[in-house]
Amino acid sequence: MKAISATKATTAKVAGARGIRATCAGRRSVSARAVPLPDLPYDYGALEPYISGDIMKLHHQMHHGTYVKNFNGLLEKQADMENKGDYAGLISIQQAIKFNGGGHVNHSIFWNNMCAKSDYVEPSGALGKKIEETFGGLEALQTKMSAMSAGVQGSGWGWLAYDPAKDSIFVTTTANQDPLVTKGDFVPLLGVDVWEHAYYLQYKNKRPDYLANFFEVVNWKDVEARFAAATA
Amino acid sequence: MTTIAFGRTGMRAVILALAVCSGFAAVATAPAKLCVYEPCATNKDGKWPLPPLPYPYDSLVPHIDNKTMHFHHDIHFAGYTNKTNKALSERGNLPPYLEKLAGNMSLEGMMYVVESEPDSANLTYFVNNGGGYLNHKMYFATMAPPGSPGQREPTGALLDAIDAQFGNFTAFKDEMTSQAKSVFGSGWAFLVVDPENSNGLLVTSRPNQNSPYMDGVIPILGLDVWEHAYYLEYGPNRGDYIDNWWQVLNWTMVEKAYATATTSS
């Protein structure tokens, strides 16, 4: 079930990124449209002292930048293979598409999930209520999400997710750059990157310290907007 | 009790048979052969020790920086050591076949009998941390400061085996580098001996702290590509770190491990 959801979601996203042209001979050919590296909605230093400017710059330009570059190359390859009817080749690159496309999808959410401390407000409204009902309050949610994210073995992400089928929110994790959709038809509300590159320069091995500081700069307005869109 | 003809299924059966025998002293060359880097036995208190770094922390500079060596050995490796000992002291949580081996066998031997897919949280805890201990034990033992005696290319039986398997040393180095670069997320690249394949050499990789022992092969060289291994000095540039790692290897140690792994009991 989960694999099918992932394929559907991936296909939908890829179809959106491609243009479909009809050639004179009446056969469709696909072309890949390059995905841009999104700008951060704030300066690199805006999350200091919670997350250092050095980390933000490297993380955005090098890590996310590399995922975007690789993803674009793969999308072109995929379009080319589809045009040539090389389906074995097309299938063989799907793992790399999951890695790099997942990296792009996850980081795009992540940058928007954060804001400068001066802009920080606690969750309220419908999401605030949902958090209260589900976890008992913001602190309880943060404790649970921190614990699960700290426990990720190796590289991965912690997520606050929405399950449309149950109209519920829950905390979960994914490995490497697997997007949340690889776990089921869930909507990512809030993600925290726990790859070592996300915190090592500042926090070294102290992932729990990083997580505590991450929660100081969560952009709950953005999280509320995602929840509102998912429950509309 | 010879082990050569057995293959992995046979060897695993031998090791498991030990678990039900009360006389461990009588057997033991089979499991001992699996441990190719010291320590192969616990302290008197039954705990696996954190082996001290066999060279100064700053002696691998400029290839691997002082800060990384401190963090990597004193915090990450130490963490795996402590948690491995915790997993073993709470051995009631392990599946019975492992619980019986704990305290009487090398970690390598225990890891050898673990199936590749841990099916419980407690087994996962043992695999992650025991694997972390084994991998890092090998990693720090196989490095040495530039200019020290082990610092040259492999010789003797190991070089012959490398040539036979890969063609020449450069081809092997390229293969291991390529696999190390391709690891997505956290993991390791390894050079392993395959006892089931006439002790042939193989380059392979594993995610997280998974140990090749779980798949019945004996790692003799490991390259850590978790970001903590290189991020302080190299940032995202894993390739540069790998190039520099090749320059601080102690081939004397790897040759010894190869000899141990390929000597019939």
Side-chain angles (χ1 to χ4, degrees):
Chain A
M1 269 277 263
K2 287 173 189 169
I4 294 169
S5 303
T7 310
K8 273 205 198 121
T10 310
T11 309
K13 284 188 159 69
V14 167
R18 291 182 308 185
I20 309 241
R21 288 179 284 112
T23 64
C24 293
R27 277 175 60 215
R28 269 181 8 191
S29 78
V30 296
S31 61
R33 194 166 60 221
V35 162
L37 173 67
D39 286 333
L40 296 194
Y42 37 72
D43 290 340
Y44 287 124
L47 307 184
E48 297 259 8
Y50 307 96
I51 303 183
S52 75
D54 283 346
I55 285 185
M56 292 304 288
K57 189 171 180 189
L58 264 178
H59 201 173
H60 177 249
Q61 290 186 2
M62 297 301 291
H63 292 274
H64 190 176
T66 301
Y67 290 130
V68 166
K69 179 161 163 264
N70 292 344
F71 187 39
N72 284 329
L74 287 159
L75 288 176
E76 273 200 37
K77 240 186 180 175
Q78 182 173 247
D80 190 50
M81 286 168 170
E82 188 175 342
N83 287 331
K84 290 188 174 129
D86 176 9
Y87 301 124
L90 190 148
I91 288 166
S92 75
I93 64 172
Q94 293 308 309
Q95 179 83 305
I97 284 177
K98 188 170 83 158
F99 287 165
N100 292 284
H104 170 59
V105 163
N106 294 337
H107 286 87
S108 299
I109 296 170
F110 185 54
W111 308 132
N112 289 293
N113 277 164
M114 295 185 288
C115 64
K117 187 63 180 173
S118 51
D119 295 329
Y120 176 88
V121 289
E122 290 194 353
S124 59
L127 178 63
K129 198 155 164 277
K130 196 74 168 179
I131 290 173
E132 200 71 43
E133 286 166 6
T134 311
F135 299 101
L138 177 62
E139 202 170 314
L141 161 60
Q142 289 179 175
T143 302
K144 180 155 194 186
M145 191 163 162
S146 293
M148 286 192 73
S149 303
V152 169
Q153 175 69 200
S155 306
W157 289 74
W159 298 100
L160 175 65
Y162 175 71
D163 181 352
K166 296 183 180 156
D167 188 31
S168 68
I169 59 173
F170 64 101
V171 174
T172 189
T173 61
T174 56
N176 297 331
Q177 292 298 349
D178 292 359
L180 182 63
V181 75
T182 57
K183 285 217 146 166
D185 278 325
F186 308 132
V187 178
L189 302 178
L190 173 66
V192 61
D193 188 348
V194 291
W195 282 59
E196 286 174 327
H197 66 239
Y199 59 90
Y200 210 82
L201 290 179
Q202 187 175 2
Y203 295 99
K204 308 298 184 297
N205 64 301
K206 292 191 168 56
R207 198 189 267 180
D209 284 3
Y210 156 67
L211 289 164
N213 281 278
F214 162 75
F215 277 111
E216 297 289 328
V217 288
V218 167
N219 182 353
W220 287 106
K221 290 203 178 67
D222 176 70
V223 185
E224 283 170 29
R226 291 175 197 273
F227 180 69
T231 51
Chain B
M1 197 183 273
T2 58
T3 56
I4 299 162
F6 271 133
R8 175 146 200 262
T9 316
M11 182 109 101
R12 191 169 184 273
V14 163
I15 293 176
L16 289 176
L18 296 182
V20 297
C21 286
S22 46
F24 287 96
V27 195
T29 46
K33 183 181 99 152
L34 293 176
C35 179
V36 298
Y37 288 104
E38 291 296 324
C40 294
T42 60
N43 287 342
K44 285 197 300 282
D45 57 2
K47 296 212 184 309
W48 291 100
L50 174 69
L53 216 51
Y55 38 79
Y57 286 84
D58 61 358
S59 61
L60 304 189
V61 170
H63 304 289
I64 303 188
D65 64 292
N66 184 28
K67 243 195 194 165
T68 295
M69 291 304 287
H70 273 286
F71 277 100
H72 205 175
H73 180 271
D74 298 347
I75 301 208
H76 292 272
F77 186 13
Y80 289 122
T81 306
N82 295 337
K83 288 181 179 170
T84 299
N85 286 324
K86 181 171 189 294
L88 294 173
S89 69
E90 291 163 11
R91 65 185 64 166
N93 289 330
L94 296 173
Y97 70 89
L98 267 191
E99 191 190 337
K100 291 193 172 83
L101 296 176
N104 290 297
M105 175 164 295
S106 67
L107 270 178
E108 287 84 348
M110 290 181 73
M111 204 58 83
Y112 191 81
V113 300
V114 172
E115 296 301 330
S116 278
E117 302 291 328
D119 56 4
S120 76
N122 291 317
L123 192 53
T124 301
Y125 186 81
F126 171 73
V127 163
N128 289 345
N129 292 291
Y133 180 83
L134 293 179
N135 292 337
H136 287 85
K137 179 174 69 156
M138 173 170 52
Y139 181 74
F140 291 111
T142 50
M143 291 193 290
S148 44
Q151 273 269 304
R152 29 117 193 105
E153 290 187 1
T155 61
L158 177 58
L159 182 61
D160 291 342
I162 287 174
D163 287 347
Q165 184 62 37
F166 302 99
N168 54 53
F169 177 73
T170 305
F172 149 67
K173 188 177 165 186
D174 288 347
E175 175 62 23
M176 191 151 169
T177 296
S178 164
Q179 291 214 27
K181 280 181 173 165
S182 306
V183 170
F184 193 80
S186 308
W188 290 70
F190 295 101
L191 174 64
V192 306
V193 171
D194 189 350
E196 262 184 87
N197 194 12
S198 314
N199 287 333
L201 291 176
L202 182 66
V203 167
T204 186
S205 68
R206 292 290 183 280
N208 298 334
Q209 295 298 349
N210 288 11
S211 169
Y213 282 104
M214 293 197 295
D215 302 310
V217 295
I218 303 172
I220 58 173
L221 180 64
L223 167 49
D224 190 348
V225 291
W226 281 60
E227 287 172 327
H228 67 242
Y230 59 91
Y231 212 82
L232 294 180
E233 181 172 3
Y234 295 99
N237 202 332
R238 192 191 282 181
D240 276 3
Y241 155 69
I242 294 173
D243 290 343
N244 277 274
W245 174 81
W246 285 108
Q247 314 222 28
V248 291
L249 290 185
N250 184 344
W251 286 104
T252 309
M253 292 295 288
V254 186
E255 286 163 16
K256 272 197 204 147
Y258 178 74
T260 308
T262 54
T263 303
S264 49
S265 40

